[in-house]
Every structure is written in structure tokens, then in C-alpha cells.
Amino acid sequence: MRVNRILLSSSLVVVALVLQVSVLARLHLPGAVPDLLLLTVLGLAMVYGHVGGALIGFGAGLLADLAPPADHAAGRYALVLCVIGYLAGLVKPENGQLKSATGPMAVVVAAAVGSILLYAGVGTLVGDNAARHVGLGGLLFTAALYDLLLAPFVVPGIMALARRAENDPLAETTSAAKKNTDISSGWLSSGTGLRIGSQRGGLGGLKVKAVRARTARAGRIKGVKRL
């Protein structure tokens, strides 16, 4: 990943995690907690693609696993967000531009439901059956509802920031300078029409002078022989 991608993704993930732990988790809403971290991963994945989405999802999930008050095995949520980021990156819009809100909203709902199911499934594999006593149906509904309500205020802004970071002015300046250098080097190596013409004219002049010198020399030799 590029440096600007890493810096932007890291900053957004840290801010989202802090807000989720310190603000959203303390609202005591019925059912699930609005997953700001998930929405951040989705917004970045739909600009950076499936590889970037998987890497960002894994890093964000690992931070969530280690951040207090986490009470589950480290790496559990990292695996979930890694899969979610990869799948969200597969539906990346062309040029990162959203043509309508229907597709991203469907991705948000699918990701909210899928993250709960994947989390519960991984918990079952490691022997954590707490999801059975929570009420999985109500948890899925509230997670999808909260994330869907929060998504219009988060996902478009994150995608806009990611696209702006992709069009880094410094990178554009560097690329333009490299392009100009390549053009100038090619121009000097191939030459212009005027330069080629002048070179041809110079070579032609040298040839004419050589012929004239040979003719004059031959004339002098003939003159000497006649004498």
C-alpha cells in the first residue's frame, strides 16, 4: 500500500475506534452497538479494492481486539473485518465514484449482518457460545438498522477523503516531472526536424568541400604533369 493510504487509513481507523469505544458504546442502545469501525473499513475498501480492504480490515479488527474493554480472543474480530473488507473491495465502484446510494447501502446492510454472523461463527469454533444467549435475531436487526442510519454520515465522507488522498498533488508533481524528463531526453536523443536538417546540411557541405578539394588537387597534378 502507498504511504498516503497507510497514513489516512490508520488515522481514520484510530479515530473511529476511539469514538466507538468512548461514545457509541456508552449510549446503551437496545440490541447491538453502531459499528463505526465497520463503516470505516467499508468506505476505505470501496475505494482501495479488495486487497487494501482486507489489510485495513485486519488491522482495524486487531486494534478492536486489543482495545479495552475487549473480552474475547485476540484476532477474532480481525478475521471478521478482514473478510468483510475483502468482500466489500470486490464491489468497488468504477473510479471510486458512487453512481447511486442503493449499492453502498446494500453493502452496509450485508456487512452488518455478515459481521454478526461471522463473529458468532468464529466464537462457536473457539468455544464461545455467548451469542446463543443474547438473541441473535434482534442483534442482527438492530445492527443493520443502526449501521444503515449511520452510514450516510460516514461512508461518503470516508470515500471522498480516500479518493482525495489518491490524487496526491505531490505524487502528481513527481509524475509530471518524470514525464517531462522522459520527453526531454527522448527529444534530445531523437532530435528535432530542424536539428536533423542542420546536421544533414552540415554533412552535405562537408561532402561538397571534400569533392572540391579533390578536384582542385587533381587539377594541380595535371598541371604539373603538363609542365
Side-chain angles (χ1 to χ4, degrees):
M1 295 178 66
R2 299 177 182 176
V3 176
N4 54 348
R5 288 188 179 187
I6 296 174
L7 294 177
L8 178 64
S9 302
S10 302
S11 302
L12 292 176
V13 165
V14 170
V15 171
L17 182 60
V18 170
L19 290 176
Q20 182 167 329
V21 172
S22 61
V23 178
L24 297 179
R26 298 185 180 183
L27 294 178
H28 301 293
L29 297 173
V33 176
D35 201 338
L36 183 61
L37 193 62
L38 174 66
L39 297 178
T40 302
V41 171
L42 291 178
L44 294 173
M46 285 190 287
V47 176
Y48 295 151
H50 59 282
V51 176
L55 294 175
I56 294 169
F58 181 81
L62 190 60
L63 285 178
D65 289 333
L66 300 176
D71 56 353
H72 55 269
R76 183 175 172 183
Y77 200 49
L79 177 60
V80 172
L81 285 187
C82 180
V83 174
I84 295 295
Y86 180 85
L87 295 177
L90 293 176
V91 296
K92 170 187 173 182
E94 294 182 1
N95 300 324
Q97 300 289 339
L98 293 177
K99 296 181 179 180
S100 66
T102 304
M105 292 300 102
V107 172
V108 169
V109 173
V113 174
S115 63
I116 299 294
L117 294 176
L118 283 174
Y119 188 82
V122 175
T124 303
L125 293 176
V126 299
D128 185 2
N129 298 321
R132 297 180 179 179
H133 310 288
V134 176
L136 192 58
L139 199 63
L140 292 174
F141 176 77
T142 52
L145 178 62
Y146 296 154
D147 291 348
L148 190 61
L149 293 176
L150 188 61
F153 304 99
V154 177
V155 176
I158 290 177
M159 293 184 69
L161 288 175
R163 289 196 303 268
R164 187 174 181 179
E166 285 293 278
N167 299 326
D168 189 5
L170 182 60
E172 289 181 357
T173 303
T174 305
S175 300
K178 183 178 180 182
K179 184 177 180 182
N180 291 333
T181 303
D182 294 338
I183 292 174
S184 60
S185 61
W187 181 271
L188 291 175
S189 62
S190 61
T192 62
L194 293 176
R195 186 176 180 183
I196 292 174
S198 62
Q199 289 177 351
R200 289 178 178 175
L203 292 175
L206 290 175
K207 290 180 179 179
V208 171
K209 289 181 180 179
V211 172
R212 288 179 179 176
R214 290 177 183 176
T215 304
R217 184 178 179 184
R220 287 196 298 270
I221 293 173
K222 288 181 180 180
V224 172
K225 287 182 179 181
R226 288 177 181 177
L227 294 174

